[in-house]
Amino acid sequence: QVHLTESGGGSVQAGGSLTLTCTDTGNLFRYNTMAWHRQLPGQQRELVARITGGGIPVYADSAKGRFTISRDNDLKILYLQMTNLQPEDTGVYYCATRVLEDFWGQGIQVTVSA
């Protein structure tokens, strides 16, 4: 059973940093590709970054150079370190994985003020 819970969101000023955390209560975490998605105001949900069970990351262009995805397979935690945040990064961020079907966390708000 996969159950994802995000934490670490909040409000920062432009140029600031936040680290999002996603915990998984399931037993297959270390084998699953995990991902962070976000939904910006008025837009569809989009991929931010994903990471394989072995730790190989892939980033969306918007995240390259500013965001770092990582994971701790022993603790079953997924991270997203976000630096140099800009107002256009404001939105709801979701942790996700696919195990026969898609699983999503409840989402967490990130707000960046100018």
Side-chain angles (χ1 to χ4, degrees), residues 47-62:
L47 176 70
V48 175
R50 64 176 185 266
I51 186 169
T52 66
I56 299 173
V58 173
Y59 295 96
D61 287 343
S62 60

Side-chain angles (χ1 to χ4, degrees), residues 25-46:
T25 60
N27 295 321
L28 300 177
F29 180 86
R30 66 176 59 248
Y31 306 111
N32 296 338
T33 292
M34 302 295 298
W36 287 101
H37 293 250
R38 68 183 183 183
Q39 188 161 17
L40 308 181
Q43 299 186 30
Q44 292 187 333
R45 199 172 294 188
E46 64 182 20

Side-chain angles (χ1 to χ4, degrees), residues 8-91:
S11 298
V12 295
Q13 291 189 325
S17 301
L18 281 174
T19 296
L20 304 183
T21 298
C22 172
T23 58
D24 179 11
T25 60
N27 295 321
L28 300 177
F29 180 86
R30 66 176 59 248
Y31 306 111
N32 296 338
T33 292
M34 302 295 298
W36 287 101
H37 293 250
R38 68 183 183 183
Q39 188 161 17
L40 308 181
Q43 299 186 30
Q44 292 187 333
R45 199 172 294 188
E46 64 182 20
L47 176 70
V48 175
R50 64 176 185 266
I51 186 169
T52 66
I56 299 173
V58 173
Y59 295 96
D61 287 343
S62 60
K64 289 178 182 176
R66 299 189 302 132
F67 296 179
T68 301
I69 189 171
S70 61
R71 62 192 296 161
D72 186 322
N73 285 341
D74 291 331
L75 297 178
K76 294 189 289 186
I77 299 175
L78 176 71
Y79 301 97
L80 184 68
Q81 296 173 279
M82 304 185 292
T83 63
N84 192 24
L85 284 161
Q86 299 300 316
E88 53 266 34
D89 295 313
T90 294

